[in-house]
Amino acid sequence: MKRFFSCVVVLLSAAVLAVGCGGDDTSGDPVAVTLSTSPQSLEFTAESYSQTIAVSSNAAKWIVTVDDAWCQTNITTGSGDRSVSVTVSANPGDTTRSTTLRLHAEGAADVTVPISQTAETATGIEVEPDEWDGVKRADITYQLLIYSFADSDGDGMGDFRGIISKLDYLDELGVSAIWLSPAHPASSYHGYDVTDYYALNPRYGTEEDFKALIDAAHEHGIKIYMDYVINHTGKDHPWFLQAVADETSPYRDYFILSHDPKADIAAGRIPMIATEGAAGYDSGQWFSAVTQSSTEPQKVKFTLEWSSSPKLTVERVDAIENSGTADSGKYLYFGDPAECVEFYTQSDNTYTLSLEIYSPWGCLVRTSNTSWNNGTKYGAKSGSNTMEWGVPLTLISNSNTDPADILLPGMESIMYHSHFWTGYMADLNYGAAADCENSAAFKAVCRSAEKWIDMGIDGLRLDAAKHVYHNASSDENPIFWNKFYTTLNDYFHRTHTDDIYMVGEVYSDYNEVAPYYYGLPSLFEFAYWYRLEWALNNSTGCNIARDLLSYRELYGSVREDFIEATKLTNHDENRAMSLLGNSINKAKLAGAVLLTSCGSPYIYYGEELGYVGRKDNGDEYVRQPMKWGDGSTTTFMDKIYTGMNNVKDVPSQSDDETSILNVYRTFAQLRNTYPALADGEMTQHAVYNADNMQYKQIAAWYRQKEGQRMLVIHNFSSTSTTVAVDDEIDRAVAVLNSVSANYGQTTAVRLGGYSSVVFLLK
Ligand code: MG
């Protein structure tokens, strides 16, 4: 019966509505359309962000609009009497701002509601951190590139003494370790192609300078980690040069060399690449190295018989004599640096050239001295490219395939393996993983590391840790690193009671990183930045704590005392600030998140200054000189990222309380002050977490250690949000941007756009 009654009411209402809408009113005067609001204006303060207005109307439809985007309504149309919720975002300016809400209904006069909002006052919250006791417990490491950091001798190249002069700066950032870019001699500017593991790059200083850096850093409570690049050496390393030059060299076995890689892999003669190319996994490339019996220039005469299959002959001569005309359009290409010399035309499609030649890579014949287009380059068939004196060698062109370099008599080619798709690095040969500690290369790199341990370094950063062994899905790399770590840790224990620190670069998501904890105590967590970057750019912080905790669970299943090296970006990635759309607010928040979450954070130099840079035109653009602002700088690099002009230097950021540098300094000190933040347990917040999509912009978690409990809340969106927390708050100890709180049994915490707050709990 009740249900029947309801239906009648609905039908009756529909009938009334139909009369009103259809204009079929026969009672006489049309009904006037009414439209009004209460109140007739709205005023917001720094502490109020949402209010309601009541709309009174008999209109079947009215429309509500607001002039400015900082003020929004929960509905845009309505009918009859209805309330409208009006919300404003935080006012970033320092003056009151105004806008207008407008109501419109057909047949009624428009209604306007003036809205104003006073400017944000101070943070609206008292912040009282405890005094720091001077213990660096936060485990913050600073990654710096020696060449770009600080120059002490005015040669434009950063150096060891330059770093010593900036240790106070690093102290202020609360760091307790420095990861130095490769310090060994190398052919490249970046140093990842080492040519001597036992020496230091002379442009960085002497061994005495390096020792002085280690000692000075230790006095500041700062450890020194060397970048150890032992997956490969540079192609200019004497080990490699000797290995290639001499089949009987003891270094022959240090590298992965083969005359016929395919056959050697198939026969199981190269255990590090037992499944080269299988599943397309990490196979790297083979490059050709050339040995030469004679290192002296030789006087020779080339004869080129031109046909569809040209033939090249070479003979020794006593004197350089050329006849004919040098207008042949045929060139010999050779030497280092390369020269392109024209042949002399003889009769019957024959061309000759006498010259004194030294060419470490051989030669080519070209039909153009400017173009490499198809059909202009002639070389030899791969595998049969070495000439014999007086015996014609048939040439092939680059019309269909890429011909091999033509080797002069006495030269031999051998293939070497390099992972990095570049011929200037050569992979070291450690043999089978199960037995790698007995390989000559393993012993040699360990012996070199012992030298630096003796000098006082505290740890190693291990480059390309996932590229040593190339066998798909094998556990060989973790086994290798376990042996490397154990060997050097045993050596370290001769003079230390603690363990040596080693962090590996496994440039992958967390699930691929996890197995490496079998081998190493610490690994970079690239996933940290992958997730954080997405979260910041999508205003979605609610998943962060859940994701980080899931990684920890996985790592913990492999190694109980794992050290996750959390980070934003490094020298191989686009700068964080650029990936965050050059938003300084997002970059500050990224720093605050890094320094309040679990793990052992790494700060890449310049990140604390809001450095920008993308690698599109070269890695140098993410490796820019430090802006010390004191007249000193590194100048060797001529590639400067244009956006760097807008980055403020250290002194001006130091003077600006709101600078990103001071955000890093504040949160680093906070992490050093509170054990709970430094290495306490992290747990998701009970209310604001991955399940709470209504507050998806909020990231919240607890940190806890030995009775000390902290609540961390971050707002990942640009608009302010108020959250209600039931935790028993003692006081706020840090704030980023604009936060206010109304303390009580339930505390209302209002976080402005990209704001953070850290509470000490009772
Ligand atoms: Mg210098």
Side-chain angles (χ1 to χ4, degrees):
M1 186 62 202
K2 196 175 175 185
R3 180 173 296 175
F4 174 71
F5 179 73
S6 299
C7 287
V8 171
V9 172
V10 170
L11 288 171
L12 208 59
S13 302
V16 171
L17 198 63
V19 169
C21 292
D24 198 19
D25 184 2
T26 54
S27 64
D29 295 337
V31 175
V33 180
T34 59
L35 187 64
S36 62
T37 67
S38 174
Q40 292 171 340
S41 65
L42 290 177
E43 287 173 7
F44 289 89
T45 67
E47 281 75 38
S48 63
Y49 289 86
S50 193
Q51 296 188 51
T52 302
I53 58 170
V55 177
S56 301
S57 178
N58 61 355
K61 182 183 179 184
W62 42 260
I63 298 168
V64 56
T65 56
V66 187
D67 289 354
D68 291 285
W70 55 265
C71 178
Q72 295 191 331
T73 54
N74 64 329
I75 53 173
T76 52
T77 62
S79 61
D81 297 340
R82 188 163 177 186
S83 59
V84 177
S85 173
V86 181
T87 310
V88 296
S89 62
N91 180 356
D94 48 14
T95 55
T96 298
R97 61 183 177 179
S98 306
T99 190
T100 303
L101 179 148
R102 299 177 193 280
L103 277 161
H104 170 80
E106 206 61 48
D110 283 356
V111 174
T112 57
V113 180
I115 295 174
S116 64
Q117 184 190 22
T118 54
E120 288 283 319
T121 54
T123 61
I125 192 170
E126 208 157 320
V127 179
E128 295 175 274
D130 289 282
E131 200 171 325
W132 178 40
D133 61 7
V135 176
K136 284 185 179 172
R137 52 174 62 82
D139 203 11
I140 300 167
T141 303
Y142 192 80
Q143 178 196 357
L144 67 83
L145 309 178
I146 302 170
Y147 50 85
S148 276
F149 191 62
D151 177 23
S152 70
D153 56 7
D155 69 348
M157 176 70 74
D159 45 49
F160 300 134
R161 297 267 173 196
I163 301 169
I164 293 175
S165 72
K166 301 301 179 188
L167 287 171
D168 287 341
Y169 172 82
L170 298 177
D171 244 352
E172 269 194 273
L173 258 184
V175 310
S176 57
I178 302 171
W179 156 20
L180 299 173
S181 62
H184 300 306
S187 304
S188 69
Y189 79 91
H190 51 66
Y192 285 96
D193 50 343
V194 174
T195 55
D196 188 351
Y197 294 99
Y198 292 88
L200 298 166
N201 185 332
R203 295 201 68 184
Y204 297 162
T206 62
E207 287 191 12
E208 196 187 352
D209 296 330
F210 189 56
K211 173 69 177 151
L213 168 60
I214 294 169
D215 292 345
H218 286 174
E219 279 171 27
H220 282 76
I222 296 174
K223 295 177 175 177
I224 296 289
Y225 304 152
M226 286 183 94
D227 204 325
Y228 239 61
V229 189
I230 62 165
N231 170 66
H232 54 266
T233 71
K235 204 182 144 191
D236 298 328
H237 195 300
W239 293 350
F240 183 72
L241 297 177
Q242 290 179 49
V244 168
D246 179 2
E247 209 166 323
T248 64
S249 163
Y251 300 111
R252 191 81 167 189
D253 197 36
Y254 278 42
F255 295 91
I256 304 174
L257 301 173
S258 170
H259 287 289
D260 188 344
K262 204 172 176 183
D264 283 345
I265 290 167
R269 287 191 286 266
I270 305 180
M272 294 185 74
I273 319 176
T275 52
E276 168 83 34
Y281 177 84
D282 196 22
S283 55
Q285 271 195 19
W286 291 88
F287 291 84
S288 174
V290 175
T291 67
Q292 188 167 10
S293 55
S294 168
T295 55
E296 299 295 320
Q298 323 181 56
K299 289 176 183 150
V300 297
K301 178 182 179 185
F302 287 96
T303 303
L304 178 63
E305 297 168 65
W306 199 254
S307 68
S308 55
S309 298
K311 291 183 174 58
L312 185 69
T313 308
V314 65
E315 300 161 282
R316 280 204 181 94
V317 293
D318 295 329
I320 308 297
E321 289 173 7
N322 282 302
S323 60
T325 50
D327 60 351
S328 61
K330 309 285 186 297
Y331 302 86
L332 188 78
Y333 185 72
F334 64 96
D336 183 19
E339 295 179 67
C340 207
V341 178
E342 197 161 22
F343 279 86
Y344 289 80
T345 305
Q346 310 300 323
S347 59
D348 300 333
N349 285 327
T350 300
Y351 307 88
T352 60
L353 177 64
S354 286
L355 77 173
E356 189 163 20
I357 184 170
Y358 168 70
S359 186
W361 57 270
C363 62
L364 289 166
V365 170
R366 296 171 60 182
T367 55
S368 166
N369 60 356
T370 54
S371 163
W372 290 98
N373 287 346
N374 281 354
T376 63
K377 169 182 164 183
Y378 287 77
K381 275 186 196 154
S382 179
S384 53
N385 56 332
T386 304
M387 303 185 82
E388 290 179 48
W389 298 116
V391 179
L393 180 77
T394 302
L395 306 184
I396 57 171
S397 84
N398 61 340
S399 294
N400 299 311
T401 181
D402 194 30
D405 296 337
I406 303 161
L407 304 183
L408 299 172
M411 295 173 83
E412 183 201 22
S413 74
I414 189 167
M415 305 290 278
Y416 68 95
H417 189 263
S418 171
H419 168 73
F420 285 101
W421 297 281
T422 160
Y424 73 91
M425 297 168 178
D427 282 7
L428 280 160
N429 175 30
Y430 297 110
D435 195 30
C436 64
E437 71 273 28
N438 294 315
S439 68
F442 186 95
K443 289 175 181 169
V445 293
C446 285
R447 228 173 291 130
S448 72
E450 288 168 9
K451 169 174 175 170
W452 309 114
I453 290 171
D454 288 345
M455 197 175 274
I457 64 156
D458 306 275
L460 302 176
R461 178 267 180 184
L462 302 164
D463 185 63
K466 72 172 183 177
H467 297 303
V468 182
Y469 286 81
H470 300 258
N471 304 316
S473 310
S474 80
D475 53 4
E476 291 165 310
N477 281 316
I479 289 171
F480 170 83
W481 290 115
N482 178 280
K483 287 169 184 274
F484 183 78
Y485 180 75
T486 306
T487 302
L488 288 176
N489 200 29
D490 287 349
Y491 187 84
F492 196 75
H493 284 162
R494 294 182 186 186
T495 46
H496 297 74
T497 51
D498 55 343
D499 290 335
I500 192 169
Y501 176 80
M502 285 194 201
V503 58
E505 179 209 24
V506 177
Y507 203 157
S508 299
D509 211 339
Y510 70 100
N511 49 341
E512 268 191 66
V513 167
Y516 284 78
Y517 277 113
Y518 170 76
L520 294 169
S522 184
L523 291 154
F524 289 113
E525 188 168 82
F526 288 89
Y528 188 91
W529 172 244
Y530 300 157
R531 302 298 180 277
L532 183 57
E533 179 199 353
W534 183 90
L536 286 164
N537 284 330
N538 289 276
S539 306
T540 305
C542 66
N543 301 324
I544 285 287
R546 177 200 61 191
D547 291 349
L548 298 185
L549 292 171
S550 74
Y551 307 160
R552 290 180 72 82
E553 202 176 317
L554 185 59
Y555 303 155
S557 70
V558 183
R559 186 187 202 99
E560 209 174 301
D561 57 350
F562 68 92
I563 305 167
E564 58 180 332
T566 51
K567 56 175 270 302
L568 305 186
T569 63
N570 68 19
H571 63 293
D572 285 328
E573 300 170 282
N574 290 330
R575 283 281 186 178
M577 176 89 169
S578 292
L579 292 170
L580 296 173
N582 293 326
S583 163
I584 191 71
N585 278 324
K586 287 184 188 177
K588 286 177 183 173
L589 183 58
V593 171
L594 179 71
L595 293 168
T596 54
S597 58
C598 55
S600 295
Y602 274 65
I603 298 170
Y604 180 40
Y605 87 102
E607 213 155 59
E608 77 277 20
L609 299 175
Y611 267 30
V612 290
R614 289 180 179 274
K615 288 153 50 83
D616 310 346
N617 296 313
D619 292 340
E620 295 91 335
Y621 294 102
V622 299
R623 304 172 179 181
Q624 302 279 284
M626 267 297 274
K627 288 192 154 190
W628 293 114
D630 59 359
S632 77
T633 185
T634 61
T635 55
F636 83 97
M637 194 179 280
D638 58 358
K639 296 179 176 176
I640 300 298
Y641 193 70
T642 48
M644 282 295 296
N645 296 334
N646 300 324
V647 176
K648 297 215 166 65
D649 60 27
V650 171
S652 45
Q653 293 214 31
S654 293
D655 292 344
D656 175 3
E657 262 181 47
T658 67
S659 70
I660 186 168
L661 175 59
N662 279 322
V663 170
Y664 270 83
R665 284 175 174 165
T666 300
F667 279 84
Q669 174 147 334
L670 194 77
R671 193 180 180 93
N672 270 322
T673 303
Y674 293 100
L677 267 190
D679 63 348
E681 188 192 357
M682 177 170 162
T683 48
Q684 288 194 75
H685 191 267
V687 177
Y688 303 101
N689 55 42
D691 294 328
N692 192 342
M693 287 306 284
Q694 196 189 337
Y695 286 88
K696 73 182 178 80
Q697 69 274 39
I698 296 296
W701 55 76
Y702 301 108
R703 303 296 307 275
Q704 177 170 351
K705 186 173 185 180
E706 292 161 3
Q708 185 176 73
R709 293 184 71 230
M710 327 271 298
L711 170 60
V712 178
I713 311 175
H714 301 287
N715 177 7
F716 276 49
S717 85
S718 60
T719 53
S720 60
T721 302
T722 300
V723 295
V725 292
D726 291 335
D727 307 280
E728 282 192 70
I729 293 171
D730 185 76
R731 65 189 191 275
V733 292
V735 156
L736 167 65
N737 284 336
S738 165
V739 177
S740 61
N742 191 2
Y743 292 109
Q745 194 149 21
T746 296
T747 298
V749 184
R750 196 195 62 75
L751 295 108
Y754 303 120
S755 290
S756 305
V757 60
V758 180
F759 291 112
L760 185 63
L761 299 180
K762 283 177 184 161

